[in-house]
């Protein structure tokens, strides 16, 4: 991984979390237990603090940053989808942020919310728990159902399992030249996984 200190401030990363080698982790960043940080993710704690609590997945190309002395926080079991940008916001526990969504400064998203892909959350936006949020600019559309929370929770558990799989088996390799060369016993260990409580 690309991990850097600035002004003597170093990132803090729990060893149970997986950080992809192409991710950049800079300065005042705290990553909790069982997190997954995907390829080309950027967590720039060079102005303010960035906190990913336990069980968060922060997928490919996601960005976290903020204003000086601010805090960008993703609470426990947060699910931050591909290419999302978080800037100085607070994402509640067990939330899902959709693909390529932007969440701006001082926005506060309550727990168990789901934000649709390609949404733009304006600065200072407030969303109560269990809101479905969508649009540009985004608004609260309706409430999240129990079935939707169950679906999201399973998805987050799969990413927590991916972190363990990567810590155990992820390594550079030379590609095969033919699919027939693949070992018959080699298979992806994708399964439902109970997320952290």
């Amino acid at each position: 991984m690309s991990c850097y200190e600035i002004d003597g401030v170093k990132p803090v990363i729990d060893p149970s979390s997986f950080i992809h080698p192409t991710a950049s982790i800079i300065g005042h960043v705290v990553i909790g237990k069982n997190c997954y940080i995907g390829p080309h993710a950027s967590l720039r704690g060079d102005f303010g603090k960035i906190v990913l609590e336990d069980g968060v997945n922060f997928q490919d190309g996601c960005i976290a940053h903020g204003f000086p002395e601010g805090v960008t926080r993703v609470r426990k079991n947060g699910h931050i989808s591909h290419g999302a940008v978080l800037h100085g916001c607070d994402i509640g526990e067990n939330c899902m942020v959709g693909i390529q969504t932007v969440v701006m400064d001082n926005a506060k998203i309550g727990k168990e919310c789901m934000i649709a892909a390609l949404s733009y959350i304006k600065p200072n936006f407030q969303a109560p728990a269990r809101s479905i949020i969508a649009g540009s600019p985004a608004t609260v559309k309706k409430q999240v159902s129990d079935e939707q929370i169950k679906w999201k929770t399973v998805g987050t558990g799969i990413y927590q399992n991916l972190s363990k799989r990567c810590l155990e088996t992820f390594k550079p390799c030379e590609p095969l030249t033919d699919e027939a060369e693949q070992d018959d016993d080699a298979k992806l260990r994708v399964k439902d996984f109970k997320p952290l409580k």
Side-chain angles (χ1 to χ4, degrees), residues 10 12-13 44 52 60 65 71 99 115 122 132 143 150 156 166 173 177 188 194:
K10 297 180 181 179
V12 177
I13 302 172
R44 273 185 51 212
L52 303 186
D60 323 52
H65 196 239
V71 178
I99 293 170
I115 304 174
K122 295 190 299 188
I132 292 180
Q143 290 293 291
K150 181 178 178 184
T156 300
C166 288
C173 70
T177 58
L188 297 175
K194 289 187 177 179

Side-chain angles (χ1 to χ4, degrees), residues 8 11 23 26 29 39 101 108 177:
I26 301 167
V29 176
T101 287
K108 187 165 178 61
T177 58

